[in-house]
Amino acid sequence: MVLKGRKPVVYIPTPKNISDNAEVFEMRGTGEVFVDYESYLKRYEDLAQRKYVDAVNGKSGLTFWEALDSEAKSSDAIENIFPSVLKDPILRKVQFSTIGRIDELVNAVYDEFKKDFFPGETVHVFFPDGEQFWGQIREKAKSVNDLLRKLCAVAYADPDRFPMIRGPDGTIQRPSFSRYFVRLPETDKEALVDDKHLRRDKKIFTKQNLRSFLRNSLQREAWQGAPWLVKEHLAIQYRLPMEIPAHLMQDAKLLASKQQMLQMKPPKGRRSNKSEEIARQQREMVAMQQMQQHPGAPHPQQGYHQQMPMPGQMAARPPPPPIVIRYPIEDLELPPKHDGMTRPQLSFFTDEQKDYIMSGRRVTFDDISLESMTHLLEIWNTLNVQCEVYVIDSFTFDDFVDAMKYREVDPLCELFEEVHCAVLSLLVDKNGKAQIVPPLRDVTTEADAASSEAHDDSEYSTPQPDVPARSTRSRLSHVDTAYDNGRTPTTDKPHRASEILAGRGWKGRIAARDYKDGGWQVILVGLLHQMSTVPTWKTACENILVELAPIDAPTTPDATKNRYAALEVNLRISALQLITQLSIRTHGIKNFLEACLEDMTEVRKRKIEHQREKKACMEELQVKDRDRKILWPQNMPDSPKTESAEPVSVSGDGDRDGDDTLETNVAGSSGNEEDAPAEGRSLRRASDRKRKRDEDSVRREKEKAEKAEAAKEKNKQSKEFKKLLKDIEELKAQLLEHEGKIQECDADLREANVHRTKMLGMDRFCNRYYWFERNGQPFGGLPTSSTADYGYANARLWVQGPSDLEADGYINLPPDEQKQYRARFGVSTTERRKREEGASSLLSAEEWGFYDDEARLDHLIGWLDDKGLREKKLRKELCEWRDKIVEYMDVYKKFRAEQAEQKVEAEEEAASRVSTRHKAQEEQAGPRERCMRWTNDMAIREQGYLHSQPEKKVQAKSRSKQVKGVATLVSRSTGKPVTRQGASYSFK
């Protein structure tokens, strides 16, 4: 059975209705028949590919014919080598086995049969006296009588095996064993031996041979959990059962799996009443178990109620095993905890939003609404992540909100002006070509080509009292001529947006960068008027245009500018969100995303190279460190030694005669003993002492030479050891350098991942958690930004409520499902949510809260349960990013404290001044001081002018000048200097 892609090769069936005279082509090895040569060649090329596997021995990389020949040879070899006595019991053992991998099946069979022998098998017999003989198993000795055998059949797997004996204290006094009658052909005798004195031929019963035998004998279907089946001819030969048990069928497996899912995990999405479906599936499960117990019973659909077992039969069956819950599971399937721990209370951006949530949503908004928070975060994140495309410097979220609430016309807020003009400039290039894909349908009268100068030559609308019947230009300008002719306006017109454009289209105005003196406000009116033709945007655009271009108000640019300055903040946010959403569909954004993808590919390659070098460095360091440990004992510093003087006895050397005075005196003299006078009595043992002194002298000289040689060798080893230590330090420095470069690559990948905002995860009630600095932007904003000294960008962990689909699918259940949930846990899902989230619960995706405190963040991490599917992932992400989130939360707190302190000092200084006029001006300028500090340094560096003031050249400030002597990285895709991380980041 040749395999391809782990599946048996499927042969092409023979075509039908082939005439006897037709020319056919037969494929060698497969017997397939083809009626045309092209099909034959195509099949031949497929079989000639080296993608086929010999299923018997597992050889791969073969052609079909090579695999077929290999299988034939392997099958013959296995039939001849593998013991025939073992085939029957082994095949009987593995029939219908559900062990998944062939390796595990081989191990299980080998472990079970390696000490079990069968009649007729040739074995090697070892006797206690050291004799060895080849023998043949005649019979397995019986361990107990028939009655005991029946009892053992219940307690033991093998009734012919002598059971284990345990002592009163539970210790094993005798392990289980088996005995065999073995015929010894060499001695023509029989012996009774146990399994410890028998052994098979090591060259025959091996795992490799067993694996080949099983591969050649077994097959199974291609679905997960399918049982192993002995091939049909072998099952017939050894009279093995061939009918697959009902509980091992694929339908039974699927039904059991589905039943377990229904018990453990509720369906996702919008739920419905499925009690009848669950009851029906439970009945089918019981029927399937009945079929397993009674194979001859009919199918459940063939009179199921008549086949139910009697109560006595039900009692006789063993109880089903308990369901083992494998965590994590659906979060709301975990029982509620009664420890009184709730999710930490959320903070809200304004006091109105907090009062709205805490009071049960009975407060109206005069300031920023919760719905507008979604738009604010979306705009801020988009402009900061893709700031290179918009050519706008990064800015903090707080400054952005202050700028959107800024209402003064003089002085202008640069941040407020620049964000609008930067977005508009992306929609149309200076040549007047729209960059939006797909383009918007035109609804205003404008020339086909707009000049790039301040004034274009777009045609103005002229009075057209009668429109020709053949005209296909169905534009609102045909109706707007009533205003030019002084006619009474129609009552169905809610605004005068088309009149504000005065016949000069918004595309030509953007191409000319006509933004000053109310220019961009007029462009915004025309753009929103055109976007209102799209049903998705119609309502939002009409609500804004009614306020910006009312029926009874003048249509001059100055009046439009003043009306936008006085526009309600939520409408201003909605207008900016609409055009920002439109700018996402431009060529500039598309090219930027493609460049980021290419950049990420290059960074990944660079990271892999650094990882490879780091691995090689670590391996070399391990070798060097092993050598250091070997050389360390020889290079340890010498321990301090105390010089010991040779003891001198006052009474001589203690000879038995006690007369050593003369010897001592002579020994202490400087002369040689041979020249000493022979007067007086002779010195005893003089020759021995002389010989000893000579030996000591020679020994000292030898030791001195050895010490000198050792010192020389030690000095040489010390140099090698020092060099080794130096190499180790250099390797450690290289290792740190590679780790730093890998961290830089990770930071580059994080900042280049601009394609979508990644959420941290969802909790049990499907609230979404965002830390917007996680991807697409530096943690503290661009380091070259004018407000980079703030040190933060957003610094909040934002929480968004669940969407309607998620709320209906998990929380707002139908009454019958709520009843079932209450029966299981004693509380409904809505009550549980109120109890575990507290008063700051978010009910929809339009509601936002945040955390900006380390203690509450840690409380949140502790509240999450990692046994739930969603909260396990969320908890993992929060733990991974916790230190970085807390770091910027602390930066934000410190910055707010410094700002509060500066405000108090400014108020005290203002109060001490005499001039009330200056005091009033400072008090008026105080609230908008922060958002007025920001300047668009990126536009000044790259364009030489601001978006809102295109003809005014501005020099870059000193803080944003390039440092002399430092190379500037230039992006290959845009040709612009990189701005995010200096030398460590570039969009190539």
Side-chain angles (χ1 to χ4, degrees):
M1 182 180 60
V2 179
L3 304 179
K4 181 181 181 182
R6 299 185 179 181
K7 295 181 180 180
V9 176
V10 179
Y11 295 143
I12 299 175
T14 303
K16 297 180 180 180
N17 302 325
I18 301 178
S19 63
D20 296 337
N21 299 327
E23 183 181 11
V24 297
F25 306 91
E26 183 181 359
M27 183 61 64
R28 175 174 60 89
T30 65
E32 299 167 330
V33 177
F34 301 90
V35 295
D36 62 296
Y37 191 63
E38 292 296 331
S39 302
Y40 172 82
L41 285 180
K42 185 176 181 181
R43 179 62 170 170
Y44 183 90
E45 292 175 356
D46 180 59
L47 296 177
Q49 293 180 356
R50 294 189 173 274
K51 296 182 179 180
Y52 294 89
V53 180
D54 176 2
V56 177
N57 53 29
K59 291 182 180 179
S60 60
L62 307 176
T63 66
F64 174 82
W65 300 285
E66 291 175 348
L68 195 65
D69 295 340
S70 178
E71 280 191 354
K73 295 178 182 178
S74 301
S75 299
D76 295 339
I78 290 170
E79 290 292 332
N80 297 329
I81 293 176
F82 200 77
S84 58
V85 179
L86 293 177
K87 293 179 181 180
D88 186 0
I90 289 178
L91 293 178
R92 197 171 299 276
K93 177 68 178 178
V94 299
Q95 178 73 315
F96 308 136
S97 174
T98 57
I99 297 177
R101 296 175 57 85
I102 187 67
D103 295 339
E104 298 174 358
L105 183 65
V106 169
N107 293 335
V109 173
Y110 183 83
D111 293 339
E112 182 170 350
F113 284 87
K114 66 180 179 181
K115 290 187 178 181
D116 197 6
F117 304 92
F118 299 90
E121 189 174 358
T122 302
V123 294
H124 206 75
V125 185
F126 299 86
F127 289 100
D129 58 358
E131 292 185 321
Q132 302 180 12
F133 297 94
W134 284 102
Q136 190 177 34
I137 303 294
R138 184 179 65 81
E139 187 183 359
K140 194 172 187 178
K142 306 300 180 183
S143 59
V144 288
N145 55 27
D146 293 340
L147 178 61
L148 185 58
R149 186 183 301 111
K150 293 180 181 180
L151 295 176
C152 290
V154 179
Y156 303 101
D158 188 357
D160 293 334
R161 191 173 182 86
F162 289 86
M164 178 192 303
I165 298 178
R166 291 183 180 271
D169 57 349
T171 59
I172 299 175
Q173 296 183 352
R174 188 193 72 183
S176 62
F177 66 98
S178 298
R179 286 179 178 174
Y180 301 88
F181 289 102
V182 184
R183 183 183 295 109
L184 305 176
E186 298 180 11
T187 61
D188 198 18
K189 296 181 180 179
E190 282 191 352
L192 180 64
V193 294
D194 58 14
D195 52 7
K196 295 182 180 179
H197 294 83
L198 298 177
R199 189 184 66 190
R200 293 188 180 93
D201 188 356
K202 293 183 178 180
K203 297 181 180 179
I204 296 177
F205 188 73
T206 63
K207 287 188 177 181
Q208 182 62 35
N209 291 341
L210 179 60
R211 182 198 307 272
S212 300
F213 171 70
L214 293 178
R215 283 183 177 273
N216 190 42
S217 306
L218 299 180
Q219 61 184 3
R220 62 175 174 178
E221 297 180 3
W223 53 272
Q224 188 173 4
W228 291 99
L229 304 176
V230 177
K231 293 182 179 179
E232 185 176 358
H233 70 281
L234 293 175
I236 295 174
Q237 178 182 351
Y238 295 104
R239 298 181 180 180
L240 303 179
M242 300 175 62
E243 184 177 356
I244 303 175
H247 68 286
L248 296 179
M249 301 291 287
Q250 186 176 11
D251 294 341
K253 292 281 187 180
L254 293 176
L255 184 60
S257 176
K258 192 172 184 179
Q259 179 71 13
Q260 186 177 6
M261 290 175 62
L262 290 172
Q263 293 177 357
M264 297 175 58
K265 184 175 181 179
K268 293 186 178 180
R270 189 177 298 273
R271 298 189 179 186
S272 61
N273 187 5
K274 296 187 177 179
S275 57
E276 296 181 359
E277 178 70 14
I278 294 174
R280 183 185 64 79
Q281 293 173 352
Q282 290 176 346
R283 289 196 300 270
E284 291 184 1
M285 189 65 183
V286 173
M288 192 64 68
Q289 293 175 354
Q290 178 190 1
M291 291 176 61
Q292 177 183 351
Q293 297 293 333
H294 306 282
H299 191 270
Q301 298 179 357
Q302 302 174 1
Y304 166 74
H305 61 281
Q306 298 178 1
Q307 302 298 327
M308 288 296 292
M310 300 298 292
Q313 295 176 340
M314 292 291 293
R317 295 180 184 177
I323 298 177
V324 179
I325 301 178
R326 296 184 178 180
Y327 298 105
I329 62 175
E330 162 59 33
D331 299 73
L332 290 179
E333 289 300 309
L334 294 170
K337 296 180 180 179
H338 301 285
D339 53 2
M341 186 176 182
T342 61
R343 187 185 70 178
Q345 182 172 323
L346 292 166
S347 298
F348 297 92
F349 197 76
T350 63
D351 294 336
E352 276 188 352
Q353 295 177 7
K354 180 179 179 180
D355 295 340
Y356 175 79
I357 297 294
M358 305 298 285
S359 64
R361 294 159 181 81
R362 293 190 295 268
V363 176
T364 58
F365 290 103
D366 294 328
D367 199 356
I368 300 175
S369 64
L370 279 171
E371 181 181 359
S372 296
M373 290 302 301
T374 305
H375 299 331
L376 280 172
L377 290 169
E378 177 186 344
I379 301 167
W380 176 84
N381 189 56
T382 301
L383 296 182
N384 279 268
V385 167
Q386 300 170 0
C387 58
E388 287 91 347
V389 186
Y390 293 99
V391 195
I392 189 170
D393 229 333
S394 65
F395 46 89
T396 66
F397 183 71
D398 302 274
D399 286 352
F400 176 58
V401 176
D402 291 343
M404 294 303 295
K405 296 165 66 174
Y406 187 81
R407 297 182 179 276
E408 300 297 328
V409 178
D410 188 22
L412 295 173
C413 177
E414 185 172 322
L415 178 56
F416 182 73
E417 299 282 319
E418 285 294 295
V419 292
H420 287 83
C421 296
V423 173
L424 292 174
S425 298
L426 198 62
L427 303 179
V428 181
D429 61 15
K430 292 185 178 181
N431 297 324
K433 183 178 179 181
Q435 301 296 307
I436 307 168
V437 180
L440 291 175
R441 185 173 65 86
D442 205 352
V443 298
T444 59
T445 302
E446 77 179 64
D448 295 334
S451 64
S452 59
E453 299 178 358
H455 299 283
D456 60 358
D457 298 330
S458 300
E459 62 177 289
Y460 290 80
S461 60
T462 56
Q464 298 180 4
D466 297 321
V467 181
R470 292 179 298 174
S471 175
T472 58
R473 295 173 56 120
S474 175
R475 298 187 176 183
L476 293 180
S477 59
H478 296 166
V479 182
D480 295 340
T481 55
Y483 297 110
D484 297 332
N485 296 332
R487 301 174 185 174
T488 303
T490 57
T491 56
D492 59 344
K493 287 276 296 183
H495 53 76
R496 304 176 65 183
S498 58
E499 295 181 59
I500 291 181
L501 288 176
R504 186 180 173 206
W506 61 271
K507 293 181 183 178
R509 292 173 182 266
I510 294 180
R513 301 299 190 256
D514 188 8
Y515 297 147
K516 293 184 63 178
D517 301 327
W520 68 262
Q521 288 89 344
V522 171
I523 295 173
L524 182 62
V525 170
L527 179 57
L528 293 177
H529 181 37
Q530 183 165 345
M531 292 177 67
S532 65
T533 60
V534 181
T536 307
W537 299 325
K538 181 177 178 60
T539 303
C541 292
E542 292 291 345
N543 292 337
I544 300 169
L545 292 175
V546 167
E547 300 294 332
L548 283 182
I551 292 294
D552 55 350
T555 59
T556 61
D558 191 58
T560 305
K561 176 182 177 181
N562 293 331
R563 282 195 296 270
Y564 196 83
L567 190 64
E568 199 263 334
V569 63
N570 293 293
L571 293 178
R572 300 168 87 180
I573 295 171
S574 178
L576 181 57
Q577 187 269 341
L578 286 169
I579 63 173
T580 304
Q581 185 179 1
L582 189 63
S583 68
I584 298 299
R585 295 162 42 183
T586 57
H587 293 290
I589 296 294
K590 179 183 177 182
N591 296 335
F592 176 73
L593 298 180
E594 292 176 353
C596 288
L597 284 176
E598 296 176 0
D599 215 28
M600 293 176 70
T601 302
E602 294 295 328
V603 174
R604 288 192 185 98
K605 292 179 181 178
R606 194 166 68 245
K607 179 181 177 181
I608 292 173
E609 185 63 27
H610 290 317
Q611 289 174 334
R612 187 182 295 111
E613 293 176 357
K614 176 186 174 183
K615 182 180 179 181
C617 186
M618 290 181 64
E619 292 175 353
E620 187 177 358
L621 180 61
Q622 290 176 355
V623 174
K624 296 283 187 182
D625 190 62
R626 188 162 54 247
D627 295 341
R628 180 190 64 81
K629 292 178 181 179
I630 295 174
L631 296 177
W632 174 250
Q634 291 83 8
N635 291 272
M636 290 181 61
D638 296 333
S639 57
K641 296 181 180 180
T642 57
E643 294 184 1
S644 57
E646 200 174 50
V648 179
S649 176
V650 178
S651 61
D653 59 358
D655 284 346
R656 286 174 295 177
D657 296 335
D659 188 8
D660 292 330
T661 305
L662 180 60
E663 179 187 5
T664 305
N665 291 335
V666 173
S669 64
S670 60
N672 196 338
E673 289 190 9
E674 295 181 356
D675 300 333
E679 296 178 352
R681 56 187 186 136
S682 62
L683 299 176
R684 293 175 300 171
R685 300 170 58 189
S687 60
D688 293 339
R689 294 190 182 91
K690 180 177 181 299
R691 185 175 62 254
K692 182 179 180 182
R693 287 194 296 272
D694 292 341
E695 292 176 353
D696 291 343
S697 177
V698 173
R699 179 176 55 79
R700 284 193 294 269
E701 291 295 333
K702 184 177 181 181
E703 290 178 354
K704 184 177 180 181
E706 289 178 353
K707 288 182 179 179
E709 186 67 23
K712 183 178 180 182
E713 184 67 24
K714 185 176 181 181
N715 188 27
K716 180 180 179 182
Q717 291 182 354
S718 177
K719 291 181 178 179
E720 295 179 357
F721 187 71
K722 290 179 179 178
K723 184 177 183 302
L724 182 63
L725 293 179
K726 183 179 179 182
D727 294 342
I728 290 175
E729 293 300 324
E730 291 178 355
L731 288 173
K732 288 182 178 180
Q734 293 178 14
L735 197 62
L736 292 176
E737 182 180 359
H738 291 313
E739 289 178 352
K741 291 180 179 179
I742 291 173
Q743 292 178 358
E744 288 182 4
C745 292
D746 289 336
D748 291 348
L749 288 173
R750 183 188 64 81
E751 294 185 13
N753 189 8
V754 300
H755 301 81
R756 61 184 59 86
T757 300
K758 290 186 176 181
M759 68 174 180
L760 293 170
M762 294 192 295
D763 62 14
R764 67 194 69 166
F765 300 111
C766 299
N767 296 298
R768 299 171 182 267
Y769 291 76
Y770 292 91
W771 189 48
F772 289 100
E773 293 94 322
R774 181 189 179 191
N775 69 293
Q777 57 180 307
F779 293 121
L782 294 180
T784 57
S785 172
S786 59
T787 55
D789 58 328
Y790 293 177
Y792 79 98
N794 196 311
R796 298 172 179 89
L797 176 64
W798 289 92
V799 184
Q800 182 186 23
S803 64
D804 294 338
L805 182 62
E806 293 164 343
D808 293 341
Y810 290 95
I811 305 168
N812 304 327
L813 303 179
D816 56 341
E817 295 188 20
Q818 287 284 23
K819 185 177 180 180
Q820 295 176 7
Y821 194 89
R822 183 185 292 276
R824 292 177 59 192
F825 301 117
V827 64
S828 67
T829 54
T830 53
E831 293 171 348
R832 178 178 179 177
R833 181 184 188 184
K834 185 176 180 181
R835 179 187 303 174
E836 296 181 1
E837 286 191 341
S840 61
S841 179
L842 305 175
L843 299 183
S844 68
E846 296 178 351
E847 298 180 352
W848 290 79
F850 63 84
Y851 295 110
D852 59 353
D853 180 74
E854 177 182 0
R856 285 192 292 169
L857 176 59
D858 292 337
H859 185 184
L860 172 66
I861 295 175
W863 176 74
L864 298 173
D865 193 342
D866 57 4
K867 291 183 179 179
L869 286 169
R870 294 187 293 276
E871 293 195 354
K872 180 180 181 179
K873 297 178 182 178
L874 174 60
R875 193 174 190 275
K876 177 184 176 182
E877 292 292 333
L878 285 175
C879 291
E880 180 179 351
W881 291 95
R882 187 258 179 200
D883 294 341
K884 190 63 69 173
I885 294 175
V886 169
E887 176 186 348
Y888 285 93
M889 284 182 175
D890 294 340
V891 171
Y892 179 52
K893 279 187 177 180
K894 181 180 179 182
F895 176 77
R896 285 193 302 178
E898 293 176 354
Q899 290 292 308
E901 184 178 353
Q902 293 176 4
K903 183 178 180 181
V904 172
E905 293 177 356
E907 290 177 352
E908 292 177 353
E909 182 180 356
S912 63
R913 294 183 179 179
V914 179
S915 174
T916 58
R917 180 173 60 86
H918 291 173
K919 179 179 179 180
Q921 290 178 352
E922 290 176 2
E923 290 178 352
Q924 185 179 3
R928 63 175 183 269
E929 181 180 357
R930 277 194 55 188
C931 67
M932 298 292 286
R933 271 187 235 168
W934 181 90
T935 58
N936 193 0
D937 289 346
M938 184 185 294
I940 296 173
R941 286 193 304 270
E942 298 190 13
Q943 301 177 163
Y945 54 84
L946 299 174
H947 292 288
S948 56
Q949 301 175 4
E951 63 276 347
K952 183 179 179 181
K953 299 293 182 179
V954 183
Q955 294 294 331
K957 296 185 179 180
S958 58
R959 61 172 170 267
S960 60
K961 289 182 179 179
Q962 180 68 30
V963 181
K964 294 183 179 179
V966 179
T968 303
L969 291 180
V970 178
S971 173
R972 293 188 303 182
S973 60
T974 62
K976 300 176 180 179
V978 296
T979 55
R980 297 205 170 195
Q981 288 186 342
S984 67
Y985 191 88
S986 66
F987 285 108
K988 297 180 180 179

